[in-house]
Amino acid sequence: MSISVYLRRFLTDPKIRFGYLAKAGFYNRLSDEEFIRRRYRLFFGREPDLDNPRTYTEKVQWLKLHEKNPSYAALVDKYEVKAFVRQALGEEHVVPAYGVYDCFDDIDFESLPQQFVLKCTHNSGGEVLVRDKKKLDLAAARQKINTCLKVNYYYTGREYPYKNVKPRILAEKLLLPADGSEPRDYKVHVFNGKAAFIQVDSDRHSGAHVKNFYTPDWSYIPVSNGVPSDPALPAPDLPCTDELLALSEKLTEAVGNPPVLRTDFYVVDGQIYFGEITFFHGSGFDPFDPPEYDRKFGDMIRLR
């Protein structure tokens, strides 16, 4: 996105403006509840009921205020969580890591293979996919990573687990199927210990990102959430579906069975790899369309 286009969106779109100012630290002095109320009103046009939450997005906000477990920090750290998953699910489900670094200039690119991915350990979206190391734009990669390292991700959505995660850079294996295509991202939403539905993200890095929702038996759910859905896209034909769901519930149990947990996986040539753990999907700010699914999904969650 060019600077002029971004500036125009910044000036005309209050949601874009709020997100930018949050990253810049403009709202850091607000309490968690005041920040959540302000952003929720902006995104949904109404006040959230934080005393008696009923919708999915309200319950996520309630959890952000009340589920402040310090042990969750290691589970959202993209490097530290590997040890947890290794013990809970097994080594075969952990994406191999090549190194973890405190700053971009510490990365020894000579020692890395031709294909890899760089990820910031403390946030979402801070990644650089490298399919050919010879073609890597080092300046652009450095700028993106360094910009992400400066932001405490907790202040962008008030998700407590991120507050004390040390910003670092992880280099790990780039997962690619034999045909070289971008693997789909299977995000299993687990409510109260049971897999409720599966979110499938396709073409996340190609500019044609599609997010579809399915029941555990792959029936399409006619809803979108922050990203367009495509009902014409065939449901995934996953022979390992039962294993995927079982791993999601097993991982949720190892975490301590929180009321809501999103467990992300990739399936590459039949092998299931862990992606990440997300306690607050979309930080609870992505509207559902049609909006009645906000209440339908909310009814499936029992807060403790």
Side-chain angles (χ1 to χ4, degrees):
M1 184 186 300
S2 67
I3 294 178
S4 60
V5 171
Y6 187 88
L7 179 60
R8 184 163 59 251
R9 291 183 63 184
F10 176 86
L11 294 174
T12 59
D13 189 328
K15 296 178 183 178
I16 294 288
R17 186 162 59 251
F18 189 98
Y20 177 85
L21 293 174
K23 287 182 179 180
F26 188 79
Y27 303 114
N28 284 9
R29 293 191 177 186
L30 292 180
S31 69
D32 288 349
E33 181 172 343
E34 180 58 27
F35 178 94
I36 285 170
R37 288 187 181 279
R38 284 196 189 188
R39 189 170 179 182
Y40 196 95
R41 287 195 299 265
L42 178 62
F43 278 65
F44 293 90
R46 61 181 175 84
E47 190 74 24
D49 187 344
L50 299 178
D51 296 319
N52 185 31
R54 295 186 179 277
T55 66
Y56 176 89
T57 53
E58 286 176 338
K59 288 185 176 182
V60 169
Q61 305 309 329
W62 187 93
L63 287 166
K64 283 160 64 175
L65 292 173
H66 297 282
E67 288 269 323
K68 295 187 175 182
N69 189 330
S71 68
Y72 289 172
L75 303 182
V76 299
D77 184 310
K78 290 180 173 57
Y79 178 70
E80 299 296 336
V81 72
K82 289 180 181 292
F84 181 83
V85 174
R86 190 175 290 114
Q87 182 174 1
L89 303 183
E91 180 71 41
E92 66 273 20
H93 299 295
V94 178
V95 180
Y98 299 130
V100 61
Y101 318 93
D102 289 330
C103 66
F104 192 88
D105 291 334
D106 287 343
I107 302 173
D108 180 9
F109 285 96
E110 290 296 322
S111 68
L112 296 178
Q114 286 301 110
Q115 296 182 330
F116 57 91
V117 59
L118 298 176
K119 295 180 177 180
C120 288
T121 60
H122 70 299
N123 72 350
S124 176
E127 58 187 30
V128 176
L129 274 61
V130 182
R131 285 177 173 261
D132 186 348
K133 185 167 65 172
K134 295 178 181 178
K135 298 180 180 179
L136 173 62
D137 187 336
L138 274 176
R142 178 184 285 106
Q143 181 179 17
K144 179 176 183 178
I145 295 294
N146 286 344
T147 298
C148 290
L149 290 177
K150 295 176 182 177
V151 177
N152 186 323
Y153 195 65
Y154 155 75
Y155 286 107
T156 67
R158 298 307 171 97
E159 299 179 42
Y160 182 79
Y162 290 101
K163 189 172 187 177
N164 296 310
V165 178
K166 181 181 179 180
R168 292 179 293 176
I169 308 160
L170 169 66
E172 67 178 19
K173 181 178 180 179
L174 178 63
L175 297 178
L176 291 175
D179 61 7
S181 62
E182 180 180 349
R184 286 175 169 175
D185 198 350
Y186 297 91
K187 304 176 184 291
V188 184
H189 294 248
V190 183
F191 295 168
N192 303 107
K194 295 295 182 182
F197 56 87
I198 308 170
Q199 170 190 332
V200 182
D201 286 62
S202 306
D203 300 317
R204 287 181 58 198
H205 301 96
S206 68
H209 187 186
V210 171
K211 180 195 298 184
N212 279 4
F213 291 88
Y214 301 91
T215 62
D217 63 358
W218 295 114
S219 295
Y220 175 74
I221 302 175
V223 63
S224 62
N225 177 236
V227 172
S229 60
D230 183 1
L233 196 66
D237 182 15
L238 274 186
C240 60
T241 296
D242 289 344
E243 182 183 6
L244 177 70
L245 298 176
L247 289 173
S248 300
E249 293 177 358
K250 185 176 181 180
L251 188 59
T252 303
E253 183 179 9
V255 171
N257 275 326
V260 177
L261 192 69
R262 200 189 80 201
T263 58
D264 298 3
F265 295 89
Y266 298 98
V267 180
V268 180
D269 298 330
Q271 175 63 38
I272 300 175
Y273 292 97
F274 167 79
E276 65 178 335
I277 288 174
T278 299
F279 288 94
F280 313 109
H281 167 68
S283 201
F285 292 123
D286 287 340
F288 290 94
D289 184 20
E292 57 258 32
Y293 276 90
D294 198 2
R295 179 60 185 268
K296 287 182 179 181
F297 291 152
D299 287 343
M300 299 168 68
I301 302 168
R302 300 187 308 275
L303 297 179
R304 57 193 182 191

